[in-house]
Amino acid sequence: MITVPTGRAPGPYGAAFLPRLRMSFRAAPAPVMEAVSKFGGQPVWLDGPAWPVHPRTGEPLVFIGQFRVPGHEVRLAYLFLHEEGMDMGGTAGEDGEAVVLVQPGGRVPSFASIGSRGTTGRTLWRWGPDDTEMPVEWLIDLTPIPRELDKAANQAAASSRYIRGARPAVDLPEEDWPKDFLGGEPIYPNQEAFGIDDSWLFLGQFEDRGEAEEDPFFLNFGYGSGFLFLSPDHLEGRFMSDCS
């Protein structure tokens, strides 16, 4: 099950894809070779390899994951981030430190630098014994969100709209809401899609994690979340991270 285009919600604040589906993570029993949503491992290229590199240093970016693009055709959005120390790129939408590629038939963002033929880089990792960095690969299971949790997520999104100046007034829900999902309306830590204009369609979001032993991978957005977006024609992607 994947989300599908709604055809009626432009901009980074609306529900461009429905339904909202919760992401959960399942360890891949073997290297994934199929065009499915996942975190880590190696990208499953549909148009041929195109590994992005840092535009100033030429260092390959880290492959974070690939995500099914909503619609009937099998297409993937691949996310790559620059990692410096324990910090991840993505705070500026078009500086080349966060690149989303769409295949097949997608457009390479104008600010992205693609490495030469054969370029590869690091993949997503987690902490192992003695603070070693262990590469990981997790399949993403998409499941319907229980009604009460989805209601809380919608209320949180409505409260965010109110803070941005919309009416009516809506308080944040007392209940917790899901933090890893595709589709539906986004829930931004600071209410705004910084650096993302109204032409971009919200695709999904996921929390950072990695300090706890049981965490599936390490991503540092300053105790915040990462957000994926698609262009109106679904041929190009953007990424934004924001701390809480």
Side-chain angles (χ1 to χ4, degrees), residues 54-211:
H54 195 283
R56 292 177 292 282
T57 68
E59 178 187 0
L61 303 186
V62 179
F63 175 62
I64 303 302
Q66 62 189 38
F67 308 86
R68 277 286 304 271
V69 173
H72 295 296
E73 183 184 3
V74 177
R75 305 176 71 236
L76 293 173
Y78 308 84
L79 173 61
F80 297 82
L81 297 178
H82 174 60
E83 186 178 54
E84 185 169 356
M86 295 293 103
D87 296 327
M88 310 300 294
T91 55
E94 299 186 359
D95 63 0
E97 295 190 354
V99 174
V100 179
L101 300 177
V102 177
Q103 291 188 2
R107 290 188 301 271
V108 175
S110 60
F111 56 83
S113 296
I114 303 300
S116 59
R117 186 179 181 88
T119 297
T120 59
R122 288 213 311 157
T123 188
L124 192 63
W125 55 274
R126 67 180 296 180
W127 292 116
D130 301 321
D131 290 337
T132 55
E133 297 178 7
M134 300 174 53
V136 297
E137 187 169 27
W138 296 89
L139 293 163
I140 297 174
D141 291 324
L142 297 175
T143 55
I145 295 177
R147 183 175 179 180
E148 288 305 310
L149 282 180
D150 201 41
K151 181 180 177 182
N154 287 332
Q155 184 178 338
S159 177
S160 183
R161 289 198 304 271
Y162 168 63
I163 292 172
R164 290 194 301 272
R167 293 286 177 175
V170 179
D171 293 328
L172 279 172
E174 295 182 0
E175 304 85 358
D176 201 5
W177 57 82
K179 303 300 192 301
D180 307 296
F181 58 87
L182 295 179
E185 292 185 68
I187 305 168
Y188 300 111
N190 295 293
Q191 322 309 330
E192 297 286 341
F194 297 106
I196 305 294
D197 67 40
D198 286 344
S199 67
W200 293 94
L201 306 175
F202 170 73
L203 174 60
Q205 68 183 78
F206 49 88
E207 261 193 320
D208 68 1
R209 45 181 40 91
E211 292 184 344

